Amino acid sequence: MDRLAAVILAAGKGTRMKSETPKVLFPVAGKPMLQHILDTLKAVGISEIYVVVGYESGQVRAAVTGVSTWVEQREQLGTGHALAQAARYLQGYSGRVMVLAGDTPLLTASTLSGLLTEHKDNKNAATVLSAQVPDPAGYGRIVRAENGSVLAIVEEKDATPREKAITEISSGTFCFSWAKVGPLLTRLKSNNAQGEYYLTDILSLLAEEGEKTGAYASKDYREVSGVNDRIQLAWAEKIMRQRINQKLMLAGVSMVDPESVWIDSGVEIGQDTLIFPHTYIFGSTIVGSNCRLGPNTSLNSAKLGNNVFVRHAVVEEACIGDDTSVGPFAYIRPGTEIGCGVRIGDFVEIKNSRIGDGTKVPHLAYVGDAQVGNNTNIGCGVITANYDGVSKRKTEIGDRVFIGCNSNLVAPLKIEDGAYVAAGSTITADVPARALAIARSRQTVKADWRKKD
């Protein structure tokens, strides 16, 4: 089997994005555009990947994974010039090379596989991925011969009125037989409206040489769309999220209103989970089966077990065990581990704490930097006072502990198994197992204290 490699052109700044961030690093569904392309190439089975970088190359290198070789393009002189920078790594290469733009995150593995198959089966020297679009403005037009071969790709600024009427456009994605294409890179000219070396001119040079060229048309023209400004970025985001939701629903996840549900590309959700409107699931979140999420819920890089119910809540970088309910109006902060069968109620905030199985924190409580055992009850208005003004301190609460309402637990503190804390107490010393701790002043009643009106 001949070798198969890919070159991604990702050197430009993307001036129309109006940002100092390299265009290829703008996220779509939680992942940089460039990473989407790298992951798609991996799904196709291409592991030898060269990425041409220029603007803020260090930032680009640090942001993505899956690159075999980084190629520097110090001057951005066009797509042909960019590929020429990678050519020195491909000397003597006899296989196929796929060339892609770094701003086309909507390309799918099935489309790229179709391009490869079309190229190989027709023994083409070059095959371009094309599409029929309703509005071809801004794209290079595919000029075909009577036999269907590609004679040329004419860029918008160089096209005649007749060529501008063509609705088949170039995606900027190609498959090349490198032994035939590589030597032609030195013959590219910059005598065009942009003053750049166009990679698309390779098709004309091959036609002059009598080589066979062709095009593979994408079934969905939206796939080939590049992202050049923030309007197009938002459009790509919408398409990507529709794909993600459809894929999850086909896999057994229900959504009451898919249009109002945002899910990142790295999220995993189990069967028979029901997602209510205005739910946002980001990062590397993993959700088990038979969960109920939302409405008005945000999960970010969280891990949820099976049969978890989260509504009107925010969960960030936390783990929640099976059969646990969270919310409404709860905030589960990073570093938190919540066990199985736990009840986290309304207006509860938990930060960097472990909550044991069967424990209840029903309402209006703050638990921070704490370890809470199994089957413990944290009453309404309880606060773990974990910060002394200099450093964070830990609170340890054992199994089957009862913390009465409106109690303050001043860390560092240990409350052992089976202990009770009376309502309204401020606890500053450890409480032994099965003891009752009361830390409040005796009630004093002063008769007739208020003067008559």
Side-chain angles (χ1 to χ4, degrees), residues 244-303:
I244 293 168
N245 289 359
Q246 289 170 4
K247 182 179 178 181
L248 287 168
M249 287 187 286
L250 290 172
V253 175
S254 293
M255 299 182 192
V256 175
D257 179 18
E259 288 295 318
S260 70
V261 174
W262 286 34
I263 302 176
D264 275 355
S265 59
V267 170
E268 300 177 22
I269 303 177
Q271 291 183 354
D272 293 317
T273 286
L274 173 60
I275 303 177
F276 290 93
H278 305 293
T279 295
Y280 310 97
I281 310 177
F282 303 124
S284 56
T285 296
I286 299 175
V287 178
S289 301
N290 295 294
C291 294
R292 295 176 66 192
L293 307 177
N296 301 310
T297 290
S298 175
L299 309 177
N300 186 6
S301 297
K303 184 175 181 180

Side-chain angles (χ1 to χ4, degrees), residues 322-352:
D322 298 343
D323 306 304
T324 287
S325 64
V326 175
F329 313 116
Y331 183 15
I332 311 302
R333 293 171 57 187
T336 295
E337 296 182 22
I338 298 175
C340 300
V342 174
R343 170 77 173 94
I344 305 296
D346 54 290
F347 302 103
V348 172
E349 180 178 349
I350 301 179
K351 170 251 179 186
N352 192 35

Side-chain angles (χ1 to χ4, degrees), residues 91-310:
Q91 291 181 0
Y93 190 87
S94 59
R96 291 168 290 161
V97 176
M98 185 177 288
V99 180
L100 312 91
D103 62 355
T104 52
L106 297 177
L107 288 172
T108 63
S110 60
T111 294
L112 295 185
S113 295
L115 174 64
L116 289 169
T117 300
E118 176 81 10
H119 180 83
K120 186 175 182 180
D121 289 351
N122 287 282
K123 297 181 173 58
N124 290 338
T127 307
V128 58
L129 177 63
S130 70
Q132 291 284 349
V133 297
D135 181 9
Y139 290 97
R141 310 304 204 275
I142 302 291
V143 180
R144 290 182 180 264
E146 291 184 3
N147 64 1
S149 64
V150 177
L151 291 176
I153 300 174
V154 182
E155 297 297 333
E156 168 90 12
K157 292 186 177 181
D158 302 304
T160 65
R162 184 175 181 180
E163 289 168 338
K164 287 181 179 180
I166 297 171
T167 57
E168 185 180 17
I169 57 93
S170 167
S171 68
T173 297
F174 303 87
C175 186
F176 292 141
S177 295
W178 190 251
K180 296 179 179 180
V181 170
L184 297 180
L185 291 173
T186 58
R187 291 173 53 186
L188 293 175
K189 307 293 185 182
S190 60
N191 54 344
N192 51 61
Q194 294 288 89
E196 295 181 346
Y197 297 92
Y198 290 157
L199 179 59
T200 50
D201 288 346
I202 287 290
L203 279 294
S204 302
L205 293 174
L206 287 169
E208 292 173 6
E209 297 285 328
E211 296 288 353
K212 191 175 181 181
T213 60
Y216 175 75
S218 170
K219 295 180 176 63
D220 182 354
Y221 73 88
R222 298 177 302 176
E223 278 193 42
V224 307
S225 301
V227 174
N228 294 301
D229 57 36
R230 293 179 192 253
I231 296 172
Q232 294 174 342
L233 180 69
W235 182 84
E237 179 92 15
K238 182 177 181 179
I239 299 300
M240 185 68 75
R241 293 195 184 282
Q242 287 175 347
R243 286 184 187 175
I244 293 168
N245 289 359
Q246 289 170 4
K247 182 179 178 181
L248 287 168
M249 287 187 286
L250 290 172
V253 175
S254 293
M255 299 182 192
V256 175
D257 179 18
E259 288 295 318
S260 70
V261 174
W262 286 34
I263 302 176
D264 275 355
S265 59
V267 170
E268 300 177 22
I269 303 177
Q271 291 183 354
D272 293 317
T273 286
L274 173 60
I275 303 177
F276 290 93
H278 305 293
T279 295
Y280 310 97
I281 310 177
F282 303 124
S284 56
T285 296
I286 299 175
V287 178
S289 301
N290 295 294
C291 294
R292 295 176 66 192
L293 307 177
N296 301 310
T297 290
S298 175
L299 309 177
N300 186 6
S301 297
K303 184 175 181 180
L304 278 59
N306 300 321
N307 306 304
V308 174
F309 182 18
V310 183

